[in-house]
Amino acid sequence: MTGNIIDGKEIARQLRGALRSQVQSLTAEHAVTPGLAVILVGSNAASQLYVRMKKQACAEVGITSFSHELPDDTTEDALLSLIYTLNNHPAVHGILVQLPLPPHIHTQRIVEAISPDKDVDGFHPHNMGLLATGTPLFRPCTPWGCLELLRVSGVEVAGRHAVVVGRSNIVGKPVALMLLAEHATVTLCHSRTTHLAQQISQADILVAAIGQPEKIPGAWIKPGAVVIDVGINRRADGTLCGDVCFAEALPRVAAITPVPGGVGPMTIAMLLKNTVLGAERCIA
Ligand code: GUN
């Protein structure tokens, strides 16, 4: 068997097309143009690239982006005060603070300062709580992108055994909650999990979010499984790879996301979707 490659780039492109139409009708019928404030603190090269991609994607679908690029030595108070201003800005429907923040800033304090009504990252404890209780408002973008890839690819989730590897607040925990909400039986593995290979071999659906290059060999994967690889890692030779050894996994699986071109483009598409949702809530 050679598995299908799930084309996240194409699925994200189609989603952006649909969002563009939605933005056009919001503007035409309600005179509302969705607005996203993007805050970058410091000069982390990867963060700069992600922020540039987010702003580009906003422009493509007709969302106004408000860019705030702040120096490395920005104080926590200065960042908080910018967030309070944006919380009350009527043209801003979403606020995104690119992570990671410099070490002198308390990330959780910043996350909690963003109004839950504009928390398009879905990281605020209010939104995490709503997700946990099964009544989500803003869903975290990368996990939502994973679920969207499964949905568009026609993968049955209900009743299947999903194994998530990684327990971060940004990916592992929320993706486990979303799979649970779709009626999967979920196992959440992490760095202290014993017998990881055995756990992974039980997965009908495997979500890998560890952040270690090709940590999961193909031999660990159940034949016919669906693999969603969230990792974006650099090999020693500079090329990109996921958390799963793609070349080994491909012949065994029913379907797998590539890196790059799998989950990555979906994260940005879901951010745009949350921003449009934020704007729609203003007119409702
Ligand atoms: N850094 C890595 N992923 C993310 C994300 O989804 N949102 C934000 N704000 N920062 C990130």
Side-chain angles (χ1 to χ4, degrees), residues 54-78:
K54 286 171 185 179
K55 288 193 290 192
Q56 250 169 29
C58 281
E60 185 191 332
V61 305
I63 293 175
T64 305
S65 61
F66 302 91
S67 186
H68 297 269
E69 304 204 357
L70 309 176
D72 267 303
D73 62 357
T74 300
T75 63
E76 190 172 291
D77 280 350

Side-chain angles (χ1 to χ4, degrees), residues 54 96-100 121 123 142 170 267:
K54 286 171 185 179
L96 177 134
V97 179
Q98 186 65 30
L99 303 179
D121 259 328
F123 295 162
T142 300
I170 293 183
T267 296

